[in-house]
Amino acid sequence: MPLIHECVVTTLTPEGRPHIAPLGLIEEGDFWIIAPFRPSATLSNLMANPQVTASFTDDARVFARLVTGDRSFPLTDIANWPAPRLSGALAHAEIGRAHV
C-alpha cells in the first residue's frame, strides 16, 4: 500500500520564480509520485521544469496559510538544485520527474 507524505513543494515558474504549494507525495516502493491537480500552477510549473523540492514540516500553520493563499514564506537555496526549500523545514527532498 502506498504511503502519502504531506509536504510543501517548491516548483519553478517558466520564468524561474519559486512557487510553493501544499501537496501529498505518494511513496510507492522506491519511487515518489507527484500528482498535482489538473489544472494547477504546480502542474504547469512541473511541465516547464521537472525539478521540485519537497519541504517537510510539522507546523500546521504553514498548511493553513498556504490554503488561504499566503505564500510569503522565507526560502533557502539548495546547492546545485534550482528549486529552494522552506527555510523552516524539518527536512527536504530534491525530486526530478521521469514521467508526466
Side-chain angles (χ1 to χ4, degrees), residues 38-56:
R38 289 183 185 267
S40 68
T42 300
L43 179 60
S44 296
N45 293 344
L46 282 170
M47 299 297 285
N49 184 337
Q51 296 168 305
V52 60
T53 299
S55 294
F56 301 98

Side-chain angles (χ1 to χ4, degrees), residues 11-77:
T11 55
L12 297 176
T13 66
E15 298 78 31
R17 289 188 312 273
H19 171 80
I20 62 175
L23 191 70
L25 297 181
I26 304 163
E27 183 179 0
E28 184 80 54
D30 293 335
F31 300 96
W32 291 89
I33 300 169
I34 302 171
F37 290 110
R38 289 183 185 267
S40 68
T42 300
L43 179 60
S44 296
N45 293 344
L46 282 170
M47 299 297 285
N49 184 337
Q51 296 168 305
V52 60
T53 299
S55 294
F56 301 98
T57 180
D58 62 355
D59 188 345
R61 294 171 297 182
V62 171
F63 294 98
R65 285 176 55 190
L66 286 166
V67 169
T68 61
D70 181 357
R71 288 178 166 67
S72 59
F73 292 90
L75 300 174
T76 300
D77 289 335

